[in-house]
Amino acid sequence: MIREMTNAESGRLKAVDMSRIVNVEDLRRAARRRLPRSVFDYIDGGADGEVTLRENVRAFQDVAFRPRCAVETPPPDLRTTVIGTPISMPVIFAPVGSSRMFWPRGEEAAAATAGAAGTIYSLSTLSGCRLEDVKKATSGPAWYQLYLCGGRDVASATLQRARDAGYSALILTIDTAVAGMRERDLRNGSKQLLTRKLGPMLPYVWQFAARPSWLAGFLRDGGLMKFPNVMLPDGPMLYADVSLALEQSTVTWRDLRWIREIWTGPVVIKGVHTAEDARRALDEGANAICVSNHGGRQLDGVHATIRVLPEIVDAVGGRVEVLLDGGVRRGGDVVKALCLGARAVLIGRAYAYGLAAAGGPGVARAVDILRSDIVRTLKLLGCASVRELNGSLVDAPRDWMPRSLTSA
Ligand SMILES: Cc1cc2nc3c(=O)[nH]c(=O)nc-3n(C[C@H](O)[C@H](O)[C@H](O)COP(=O)(O)O)c2cc1C
C-alpha cells in the first residue's frame, strides 16, 4: 500500500490515501479535487464536442476477448522492446505538455517514476522543466517530442541539447497544425488569466482560491512556468505565446529531411490516423509510427485510435513497429491494443491524473494499476507473456479490419 505525500507539500496537506485508489478513474477524481478547474480541464478536456475524446475510451469496449482457459499460467512476462529499447512492460509515458502546472517540477517527478518502473518517459517540447534536468531525474530511457515552436534554428538548438543530454529517440508530432479548439479552456478564462491584468482575470481567479494546496505548490515552484526548451533570442518562450507559436510552426514532411540531418537516432511519427499517412511516414524514413489523435485534443470527429489500428498495422506490414495512444485507462485496453498489432501503448491522461493528484506516488499508482491489470488479463487469457498476444485472442468489429483481411 502506498500512502505518501511527496516533496514540500508533505506535512501541510492531506495526503491522497492510495489504498482507496482502485483505478485510473479514481486518480482522475483525486486530481479534480486538488486542481483549479482550468488546470484540471486542461488535462481532462478535448477538442470541440469531445466526440473523439469519449470515443477513444469507449471503442475499447467494442473489442471482446477470446480467452484460452484451463492452461497453466506462470507469472506472465510483460517485458518487451520498442525500437530496440528494452522496457519492463508495454506501456510508455506519452509527451504531456505543461506537466509542471499539475505538480511542482512535474516533468521530473513523472520521469523519475517512469524510470523506476522500467519504462520510457517522453518529454514534450512544451514542458516547464529543462530537458537536461528531466533526463537526469530518470534512471530509464527518455524520448524527446518535438514541436517547431520558434522556428528551425530554435528547434535545431534544442535537438542538439536533447542529443547531448542522452534522449534516445525523437517523437515528431504531426497533428498540431494549430492548437485544437478546447471549449473548456475558453469557459475557464485560460486566455484572460494569461493577460496578468487584474480586470480580465478577476472573474476567473476564484478557482485558485478554492484550491489552496495546489496554489501553495504552484507559488513555491516559481509561479507560472515558461518553456525552457524553446529558447528564443530573448529567453524561454512565455506561456501566453504557445498557441501562436504552434500555428506559426506547422511540422510538414519536408521538415523531416533537415531534422534527420541533425537527429541521427530513431524518429517516431506521432499523430497517424490513416493507412495513407502511415505509408507516407514509412516513405519518409520513420523508425516507428504512433497511431494517435492527440487524445482527442486536436481534430474532433476522427475515429478512435483502437478502431484505426488494424488498418495501419496492415499498411505498415511489419516494416516498423506501430504504437498506439488514446483512451488507455485499463490494462485490458493495453492487451487489446497488443492483440490488434501494437508493439506498446503510450499513456497520457492515465499518468497525468496521478501526477496531478499526488505527484510521483500518484504516477506510480497509475503504473501499478495498469501493470497488475495486464498481469491478470494475460493469466485469464491463458498467455504466459505479452509476446504471445495475437489477433486470435480478440474479436473486433468486422468493419475495423482492412479490406485485405476481410475479403479473404
Ligand atoms: C494535458 C495533455 C497535454 C499534452 N501535450 C502534448 C504535447 O505537448 N505533445 C504531444 O505530442 N502530445 C501531447 N498530448 C497528447 C499525448 O501525448 C497523447 O497523445 C494523449 O494524451 C493520449 O491520449 P490519453 O490521454 O487518452 O492517453 C497531451 C495530452 C494531454 C492530456
Side-chain angles (χ1 to χ4, degrees):
M1 178 181 109
I2 309 166
R3 190 187 156 83
E4 262 178 86
M5 198 72 199
T6 53
N7 69 32
E9 291 205 335
S10 96
R12 249 183 262 187
L13 305 168
K14 220 170 130 234
V16 175
D17 180 354
M18 291 295 171
S19 68
R20 309 188 90 174
I21 300 286
V22 173
N23 60 23
V24 168
E25 179 58 25
D26 292 336
L27 286 172
R28 176 178 177 271
R29 276 192 287 265
R32 191 170 54 195
R33 281 194 296 273
R34 181 177 165 274
L35 294 179
R37 179 175 281 183
S38 57
V39 182
F40 176 74
D41 278 346
Y42 167 72
I43 302 175
D44 194 57
D48 303 271
E50 302 190 338
V51 175
T52 298
L53 170 70
R54 287 189 295 276
E55 194 56 15
N56 272 349
V57 177
R58 195 212 58 79
F60 280 102
Q61 294 174 20
D62 289 339
V63 183
F65 286 121
R66 303 180 66 247
R68 309 300 139 78
C69 300
V71 291
E72 263 180 54
T73 52
D77 183 0
L78 306 197
R79 289 170 303 168
T80 188
T81 59
V82 173
I83 41 176
T85 301
I87 48 177
S88 69
M89 62 193 284
V91 175
I92 294 170
F93 283 43
V96 168
S98 308
S99 294
R100 194 166 181 167
M101 296 290 279
F102 316 160
W103 192 266
R105 305 195 77 86
E107 289 89 3
E108 291 170 26
T113 313
T119 194
I120 299 162
Y121 177 77
S122 309
L123 179 69
S124 165
T125 292
L126 301 177
S127 58
C129 294
R130 290 175 68 245
L131 64 88
E132 292 83 357
D133 297 336
V134 176
K135 182 67 186 75
K136 268 190 212 131
T138 175
S139 56
W143 292 354
Y144 188 75
Q145 178 267 324
L146 186 69
Y147 285 133
L148 299 181
C149 298
R152 185 168 162 167
D153 291 346
V154 171
S156 304
T158 308
L159 283 181
Q160 275 157 24
R161 279 174 60 193
R163 192 190 54 201
D164 294 347
Y167 286 79
S168 57
L170 182 71
I171 300 180
L172 194 62
T173 301
I174 60 167
D175 60 13
T176 313
V178 291
M181 165 58 173
R182 320 258 168 84
E183 294 183 2
R184 297 197 210 182
D185 290 356
L186 290 188
R187 291 188 208 291
N188 293 330
S190 298
K191 224 183 216 162
Q192 290 82 345
L193 287 165
L194 291 173
T195 61
R196 294 176 171 228
K197 291 190 186 124
L198 194 61
M201 284 170 72
L202 210 55
Y204 302 101
V205 286
W206 56 267
Q207 50 179 310
F208 302 103
R211 291 292 184 271
S213 64
W214 175 87
L215 188 59
F218 173 76
L219 293 175
R220 266 199 311 277
D221 195 34
L224 186 63
M225 54 170 258
K226 294 178 182 159
F227 296 110
N229 303 313
V230 184
M231 283 304 289
L232 304 174
D234 50 353
M237 187 171 78
L238 301 180
Y239 207 82
D241 295 342
V242 66
S243 295
L244 186 63
L246 280 174
E247 209 163 316
Q248 289 171 343
S249 57
T250 308
V251 176
T252 68
W253 295 115
R254 225 175 313 127
D255 291 305
L256 201 53
R257 301 187 192 151
W258 66 261
I259 289 170
R260 275 275 182 214
E261 282 165 23
I262 299 169
W263 183 268
T264 49
V267 175
V268 181
I269 301 291
K270 173 172 179 282
V272 172
H273 307 246
T274 59
E276 290 87 337
D277 269 0
R279 280 190 286 265
R280 179 76 197 254
L282 289 183
D283 291 346
E284 300 290 347
N287 302 95
I289 281 173
C290 180
V291 180
S292 171
N293 53 42
H294 219 110
R297 301 165 73 82
Q298 286 299 112
L299 179 62
D300 195 25
V302 295
H303 279 309
T305 46
I306 190 70
R307 191 211 181 285
V308 294
L309 178 65
E311 164 186 336
I312 291 167
V313 167
D314 181 65
V316 167
R319 280 169 286 174
V320 298
E321 290 167 1
V322 177
L323 309 172
L324 169 139
D325 72 33
V328 174
R329 303 288 184 271
R330 292 181 180 274
D333 301 338
V334 180
V335 174
K336 288 175 181 177
L338 266 61
C339 287
L340 290 175
R343 181 77 177 187
V345 305
L346 278 67
I347 51 166
R349 293 182 183 84
Y351 89 79
Y353 293 139
L355 180 66
V363 178
R365 186 72 190 118
V367 172
D368 283 349
I369 288 169
L370 294 176
R371 192 194 299 275
S372 53
D373 280 358
I374 298 172
V375 166
R376 195 175 51 255
T377 306
L378 286 177
K379 285 187 167 207
L380 291 170
L381 279 176
C383 288
S385 94
V386 291
R387 286 181 301 280
E388 289 180 18
L389 296 173
N390 63 67
S392 79
L393 294 161
V394 288
D395 263 336
R398 213 174 151 70
D399 61 344
W400 290 17
M401 295 302 147
R403 280 184 206 102
S404 60
L405 295 181
T406 49
S407 58

